[in-house]
Amino acid sequence: MEQIISDIKSQVKTYSETPVYTVQMNKQGCKMVLEMQDNVDYRMVENNGESMMLPLNAMITKSGPQTAIVKIYPKDGEEFISKYAHVKLTFYHAPNKNSRLSEYKKITEFELPAGLEEKKLPYYETKIQFAATVPFDYSKELVEAKDLKTVPNIEQKAVQKYNEIRNACENLDSLAYNKYLVHSSALVYNTTYTSTEQIEEKETSGGLLALVDPQVKKRSFTPIQNYSVQYYANGKIVALWQKNHHPILHLKGEVASSKEGSEAKPFEAGDPIFLYLPKNAEGLQVW
């Protein structure tokens, strides 16, 4: 674990400026995917209403014009987007990571148009443009990465990597799981301006990620099959998803109730895994 922490910290820099971008996401009566055109996506795909403030920095590749792609799907069991579907996104910018809430300024917003139910749409997509200025730049790494659409048998290779990660989770091998996630952990820490001391504290706190937490009993993982393939960043990143838009790396189980004598509670968790092939690397790695 010490080596993993060292590898993470080696990819994290200190910046004199720490601008922050977020989006307030509210949706009900539908499923929603928010993708940054040159990066990955975030999904709100439960059938109930959801609301959250999503930090966007980890999905911004570099400074400049940004394109957010909003994808709307019907709830499970519905064929078309219904009159009950509602989505509102409000994008904000703050000057630094320690900004007060009053310093967050609205930069753009989107609301799902009314009347879509009359068009009987199985899917709706739109794009939102805004500008961002950030001190980090991951574009060179992606430019140098392999175009996965040109890699022979890329789908089978992606399935193999997913199964490797799934096996580590099944075996409760938290060390192996954290090793797979070094780049993604470092990316989040770097784009959220986390100090090396905070990284050390978080990584050694003893808290286990849900998929490798032994407190989850009667564990059952979704097989890596019957999936959808999604490419990102002009073919430089790939991910596999369940047909219901949930992560294919998905666990079901149960956890003990906090109340003495109560029955165990059902538990579910999924981890979105995005894969890429870095320059000079021999195999797929987690972005």
Side-chain angles (χ1 to χ4, degrees):
M1 195 62 201
E2 289 180 2
Q3 183 60 53
I4 290 173
I5 294 172
S6 176
D7 291 342
I8 291 173
K9 291 195 294 187
S10 71
Q11 298 179 41
V12 177
K13 300 179 181 179
T14 300
Y15 302 103
S16 58
E17 297 183 351
T18 59
V20 173
Y21 293 85
T22 65
V23 55
Q24 175 63 45
M25 309 168 67
N26 300 286
K27 72 91 178 166
Q28 61 185 21
C30 61
K31 298 189 173 192
M32 189 199 75
V33 177
L34 178 69
E35 176 184 342
M36 294 302 292
Q37 185 165 269
D38 297 318
N39 212 302
V40 297
D41 68 25
Y42 183 85
R43 302 182 169 215
M44 299 179 79
V45 293
E46 300 297 337
N47 285 311
N48 55 305
E50 296 176 90
S51 176
M52 73 170 295
M53 180 71 86
L54 175 71
L56 268 183
N57 280 33
M59 295 170 64
I60 294 175
T61 307
K62 65 174 182 177
S63 291
Q66 309 293 321
T67 300
I69 305 170
V70 183
K71 304 175 183 180
I72 310 297
Y73 301 89
K75 294 195 307 182
D76 290 337
E78 296 181 351
E79 186 177 359
F80 305 115
I81 297 172
S82 76
K83 65 180 180 180
Y84 301 108
H86 174 73
V87 171
K88 184 172 182 180
L89 307 177
T90 308
F91 293 76
Y92 293 95
H93 164 253
N96 63 73
K97 66 176 183 178
N98 296 318
S99 296
R100 299 186 301 273
L101 190 60
S102 61
E103 296 178 274
Y104 278 71
K105 303 302 182 184
K106 182 171 69 175
I107 52 179
T108 190
E109 61 183 349
F110 162 79
E111 192 160 2
L112 189 67
L116 293 182
E117 69 277 3
E118 299 171 1
K119 300 181 179 181
K120 295 189 179 301
L121 299 177
Y123 169 78
Y124 176 87
E125 179 176 315
T126 192
K127 294 182 178 180
I128 301 170
Q129 311 286 340
F130 65 98
T133 301
V134 292
F136 50 84
D137 188 340
Y138 286 91
S139 60
K140 182 179 179 182
E141 187 175 1
L142 285 174
V143 166
E144 294 178 343
K146 187 75 173 179
D147 182 350
L148 299 178
K149 293 182 179 179
T150 68
V151 175
N153 303 315
I154 182 57
E155 186 175 325
Q156 291 84 346
K157 291 176 180 178
V159 170
Q160 181 180 357
K161 178 59 68 172
Y162 269 83
N163 274 314
E164 286 179 17
I165 300 172
R166 179 178 181 268
N167 289 340
C169 294
E170 284 188 315
N171 294 329
L172 296 172
D173 191 341
S174 60
L175 196 63
Y177 187 52
N178 278 282
K179 190 173 182 179
Y180 284 120
L181 301 181
V182 164
H183 183 276
S184 60
S185 298
L187 189 153
V188 172
Y189 285 136
N190 190 52
T191 58
T192 54
Y193 318 116
T194 308
S195 69
T196 55
E197 293 79 13
Q198 289 173 316
I199 293 171
E200 187 91 32
E201 181 181 351
K202 289 184 178 183
E203 293 295 323
T204 58
S205 64
L208 291 171
L209 298 169
L211 299 188
V212 289
D213 190 340
Q215 294 185 76
V216 182
K217 307 300 183 183
K218 298 184 179 179
R219 302 156 53 84
S220 174
F221 280 86
T222 301
I224 312 298
Q225 58 191 32
N226 192 31
Y227 50 78
S228 297
V229 182
Q230 173 76 47
Y231 290 95
Y232 303 87
N234 296 313
K236 299 303 179 76
I237 299 173
V238 67
L240 306 181
W241 299 95
Q242 295 185 58
K243 297 293 186 180
N244 62 5
H245 308 290
H246 285 275
I248 195 71
L249 186 61
H250 191 266
L251 165 71
K252 286 186 177 182
E254 60 181 35
V255 294
S257 173
S258 58
K259 296 181 180 179
E260 188 176 349
S262 299
E263 294 184 0
K265 297 179 179 179
F267 176 87
E268 288 190 43
D271 199 355
I273 298 294
F274 301 94
L275 302 175
Y276 78 123
L277 187 54
K279 182 181 180 181
N280 300 325
E282 294 183 1
L284 290 168
Q285 297 181 16
V286 179
W287 172 253

